[in-house]
């Protein structure tokens, strides 16, 4: 514990956030960036800083433990590592390339890191459960939203509350079509049109875009770039209230994996949004992982 606290202080974590570095958990074959600090730096950490951080850590984790019990989690979520000072280089996953894609937004399922951290993303926007906002805020679990206008336009205010809690609202097209079935101009209208909507409603023009269903062609990525998109994350696994679905052969999570789920209610799947969070957080925490903020890495 003492070594962990020293490393946390050296990393310069912000007091009061509950975010503290964890030892890196390397996964064979997984690319990653070097860790922060080293033995010499750790030895130089002032004792007063360590004591102060320890007090903050205890308070924050105690509050998080109370929230975890309130919301019915099996265990308190683990604190995420400090984000890298320099974001990793993101490239398109092998096998997911399109022709002449070198200068186009990369398509990827996993962020390069050796830390045992994953990223939670929620798509569409049809279900607007106020309990989700309270739950995630009290548990301090970061997540990213990828929104389609046709399902959020009946309650833009819900997602403004989400944004006010620090959630980044990203692009998932206006109408959630099958993009390869559209012309280039139609695809551009779907992506740029949603950029315009999000900027008008939330004052933010996203740099992240997720193609509906994870389907795309070269026109999709060219249009996305024209609309100001820098990267197109898809996912390595998908969370439901009662199970997980996996892209990888080992049916497991790995450092930097992006987890997909959806804004859904009991009329669309077997549970509520909090039920889904309880299930996915059990999987994540039981495997020794924490949840980080995707935009801190991409």
């Amino acid at each position: 514990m003492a070594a962990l606290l020293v490393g946390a202080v050296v990393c310069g974590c912000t007091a009061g956030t509950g975010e503290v570095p964890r030892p890196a958990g390397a996964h064979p074959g997984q690319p990653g960036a070097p860790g922060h600090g080293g033995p010499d730096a750790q030895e130089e950490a002032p004792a007063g800083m360590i004591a102060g951080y320890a007090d903050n850590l205890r308070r924050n984790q105690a509050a998080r433990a109370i929230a975890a019990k309130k919301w019915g989690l099996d265990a308190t979520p683990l604190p995420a590592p400090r984000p890298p000072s320099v974001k990793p280089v993101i490239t398109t996953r092998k096998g997911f390339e399109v022709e002449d894609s070198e200068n186009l937004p990369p398509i990827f399922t996993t962020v390069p890191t050796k830390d045992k951290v994953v990223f939670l993303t929620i798509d569409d926007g049809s279900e607007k459960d106020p309990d989700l906002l309270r739950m995630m805020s009290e548990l301090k679990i970061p997540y990213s939203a990828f929104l389609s206008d046709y399902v959020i336009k009946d309650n833009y205010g819900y997602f403004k509350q989400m944004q006010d809690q620090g959630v980044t609202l990203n692009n998932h097209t206006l109408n959630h079509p099958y993009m390869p079935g559209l012309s280039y101009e139609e695809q551009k209208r779907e992506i740029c049109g949603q950029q315009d909507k999000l900027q008008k409603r939330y004052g933010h023009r996203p740099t992240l875009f997720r193609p509906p269903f994870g389907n795309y062609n070269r026109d999709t990525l060219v249009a996305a770039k024209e609309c100001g998109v820098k990267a197109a994350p898809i996912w390595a696994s998908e969370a439901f209230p009662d199970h997980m679905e996996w892209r990888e052969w080992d049916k497991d999570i790995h450092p930097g994996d992006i987890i997909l789920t959806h804004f859904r209610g009991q009329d669309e799947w077997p549970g509520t949004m909090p039920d889904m969070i309880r299930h996915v957080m059990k999987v994540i925490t039981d495997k020794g992982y924490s949840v980080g903020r995707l935009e801190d890495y991409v």
Side-chain angles (χ1 to χ4, degrees):
M1 183 63 177
L4 177 63
L5 293 174
V6 173
V9 173
V10 172
C11 285
C13 297
T14 303
T17 64
E19 303 298 310
V20 51
R22 291 178 50 76
H27 176 69
Q30 184 74 18
H36 300 282
D40 293 340
Q42 291 180 1
E43 291 172 2
E44 296 171 4
M49 290 178 64
I50 297 171
Y53 186 82
D55 289 342
N56 252 330
L57 177 63
R58 281 192 291 268
R59 285 195 297 268
N60 288 330
Q61 285 302 98
R64 212 176 193 194
I66 292 170
K69 184 175 182 180
K70 170 185 173 180
W71 289 103
L73 274 66
D74 284 354
T76 304
L78 298 173
R82 178 175 180 255
S85 56
V86 177
K87 292 182 179 182
V89 175
I90 306 293
T91 58
T92 292
R93 176 172 171 164
K94 186 176 181 180
F96 287 61
E97 305 94 338
V98 297
E99 186 178 358
D100 298 325
S101 62
E102 182 178 350
N103 296 314
L104 297 178
I107 294 278
F108 56 102
T109 63
T110 301
V111 172
T113 181
K114 291 182 179 179
D115 290 328
K116 294 189 72 172
V117 60
V118 295
F119 306 98
L120 185 60
T121 63
I122 312 182
D123 278 11
D124 302 345
S126 60
E127 180 70 13
K128 303 161 184 72
D129 187 343
D131 280 345
L132 176 71
L133 298 180
R134 290 190 288 269
M135 181 182 197
M136 301 300 268
S137 176
E138 292 175 16
L139 289 168
K140 303 188 189 318
I141 297 174
Y143 61 104
S144 303
F146 288 82
L147 304 178
S148 293
D149 189 66
Y150 83 108
V151 286
I152 71 169
K153 62 184 179 182
D154 63 336
N155 190 350
Y156 287 123
Y158 177 83
F159 300 96
K160 182 64 172 70
Q161 293 178 62
M162 190 174 289
Q163 183 186 43
D164 290 345
Q165 292 179 359
V167 177
T168 302
L169 309 181
N170 299 298
N171 191 324
H172 199 42
T173 72
L174 287 171
N175 299 294
H176 204 275
Y178 174 71
M179 297 296 275
L182 304 181
S183 69
Y184 170 77
E185 289 300 330
E186 289 170 331
Q187 293 197 54
K188 187 174 179 180
R189 280 196 293 273
E190 283 287 337
I191 301 169
C192 286
Q194 182 65 345
Q195 294 285 78
D196 294 341
K197 292 277 188 180
L198 293 171
Q199 184 171 35
K200 177 181 177 181
R201 294 289 175 178
Y202 305 111
H204 170 66
R205 199 168 186 86
T207 58
L208 301 185
F209 160 71
R210 174 172 285 161
F213 314 107
N215 295 128
Y216 58 93
N217 58 17
R218 189 173 191 278
D219 282 348
T220 313
L221 301 182
V222 172
K225 182 178 180 180
E226 286 294 312
C227 299
V229 169
K230 304 299 184 185
I234 49 176
W235 60 92
S237 59
E238 184 171 357
F240 296 85
D242 58 349
H243 72 284
M244 297 286 293
E245 293 185 359
W246 309 94
R247 186 184 296 273
E248 309 303 336
W249 66 270
D250 60 357
K251 298 184 178 181
D252 203 355
I253 56 178
H254 315 94
D257 274 357
I258 298 169
I259 299 174
L260 162 70
T261 190
H262 291 82
F263 292 98
R264 296 285 186 267
Q266 290 178 286
D267 57 336
E268 296 180 271
W269 63 10
T272 63
M273 292 297 292
D275 290 334
M276 178 275 297
I277 295 297
R278 279 186 281 271
H279 182 266
V280 71
M281 288 308 301
K282 176 173 175 54
V283 173
I284 292 169
T285 307
D286 283 356
K287 292 178 180 292
Y289 282 76
S290 60
V291 178
R293 182 176 178 268
L294 180 63
E295 291 81 5
D296 288 339
Y297 289 73
V298 179

